[in-house]
Amino acid sequence: MKCRTCGGKAVVNMRQHKLALCKEHYLDWVPAQTARFIKKYRMFAPQERVLVAVSGGKDSLSLWDILHRLGYQADGLYLGLGIDEGVGYSAESRRLTEQFAAQRGLTLHVVDFPQTYGQNIPNLAALTHRGQGRPCSVCGVAKRHEMNRIARDMGYDVLATGHNLDDEAAVLFANTLAWSQDYLLRQAPVLPGHDGLARKVKPLCRFYEKEMAAYALLSGIEYIYEECPFSVGSTSIYYKELLNQLENTRPGAKLSFYLRFLEARESGMFNLPEDSPPPLFRCPTCGQPTQYEGKCSFCRMMEKTETP
Ligand code: AMP
Ligand code: FES
Ligand code: ZN
Ligand code: ZN
């Protein structure tokens, strides 16, 4: 297999794009494509300040690397969730994230949950009895709250996450099975900011997970191989496996599922005006925006952990 650009030996063969590339040209192709997606979906302008949520995994570290290479002003945010399970998941992912930032002289903000709120995520989930034994939904609420808080308090224009195509296609599949119009409407490469809610972008949403793994590996990025130990056996992993089976027999199916959805969404299939989201309320406890009047879901969750 030969590199399409230079004719040298290809190290990556992407059947889904009918494209093979050598190491050098693959490491050029990924950032060039990312730059194209950032422009196409109007994610952010060159002078805007980006806060990248970095988990220590291949996707978010690669995203930070790519934005840095493209010359964007991108700082990192790592959230220490206090998950000791697995290889000591949180401690190890924090070590790798801090190492990545130090090697490149990048600014990293760290919020440690147990230190800041006196609880780690698994305890928080047990105390609030949410999520049927899995801390993932509690974790999601906590992560969203903290990401928005830091982005807003520190004056960032936009918050970027490392969601890849496999993540987006699995969520899309779940929401399509349930025909959840509200969720479908809220799934996009860019969610505009409003009423104190930071603009959210997913610059890697069109890259297959294996493309990001190849990028991290070929760029020599050290990342945590382990997934969150609580994700084992989750529905989203099951949907990813199903979509991979489909992809194996029909290369490109995953990408086309996602892209055709974005087109349908753009053409107004869900007939709700995207650019006029319902106004948000302000949480009386933390001041963050919330969908309903009264305390936000994070503050309501934290309230349940207080001893009477
Ligand atoms: P996940 O929900 O674990 O699939 O992660 C999706 C994205 O959320 C990652 O690509 C990161 O951008 C962000 N993220 C997840 N966990 C953390 C964390 N502990 N700290 C900062 N960002 C995170
Ligand atoms: Fe939060 Fe797994 S429970 S990352
Ligand atoms: Zn080449
Ligand atoms: Zn609140």
Side-chain angles (χ1 to χ4, degrees), residues 53-55 59-60 77-79 81 143 147 160-163:
V54 269
S55 65
D59 304 301
S60 48
L77 167 65
Y78 174 81
L79 303 172
L81 307 166
K143 284 196 288 202
M147 285 178 193
T161 53
H163 292 95

Side-chain angles (χ1 to χ4, degrees), residues 3-160:
C3 170
R4 183 196 281 177
T5 310
C6 69
K9 189 179 179 307
V11 294
V12 181
N13 178 24
M14 295 172 282
R15 281 205 300 161
Q16 61 276 16
H17 306 307
K18 299 189 178 65
L19 176 66
L21 292 169
C22 70
K23 175 176 171 178
E24 183 194 339
H25 290 119
Y26 187 70
L27 291 181
D28 287 344
W29 180 79
V30 172
Q33 288 289 93
T34 312
R36 194 166 77 81
F37 303 148
I38 291 170
K39 271 208 192 109
K40 178 178 169 61
Y41 298 109
R42 297 194 192 91
M43 293 188 184
F44 43 86
Q47 72 283 4
E48 287 190 298
R49 291 179 67 225
V50 185
L51 182 65
V52 187
V54 269
S55 65
K58 61 181 183 319
D59 304 301
S60 48
L61 284 179
S62 295
L63 172 60
W64 201 8
D65 179 84
I66 293 164
L67 295 182
H68 175 54
R69 287 232 252 151
L70 291 171
Y72 286 103
Q73 307 176 55
D75 296 345
L77 167 65
Y78 174 81
L79 303 172
L81 307 166
I83 298 175
D84 299 327
E85 286 76 0
V87 289
Y89 179 71
S90 288
E92 182 59 3
S93 54
R94 178 173 177 168
R95 184 185 74 75
L96 292 165
T97 306
E98 286 178 334
Q99 172 184 290
F100 177 95
Q103 283 167 349
R104 292 160 179 79
L106 299 175
T107 302
L108 175 68
H109 308 286
V110 174
V111 177
D112 187 73
F113 245 82
Q115 236 172 42
T116 314
Y117 295 101
Q119 296 291 350
N120 64 31
I121 294 294
N123 278 347
L124 200 60
L127 286 167
T128 52
H129 307 289
R130 282 174 56 152
Q132 290 113 31
R134 250 183 220 283
C136 305
S137 71
V138 163
C139 184
V141 171
K143 284 196 288 202
R144 277 194 295 278
H145 186 270
E146 289 305 284
M147 285 178 193
N148 198 69
R149 180 174 73 83
I150 302 292
R152 199 185 60 161
D153 289 0
M154 300 206 153
Y156 286 95
D157 297 299
V158 58
L159 175 71

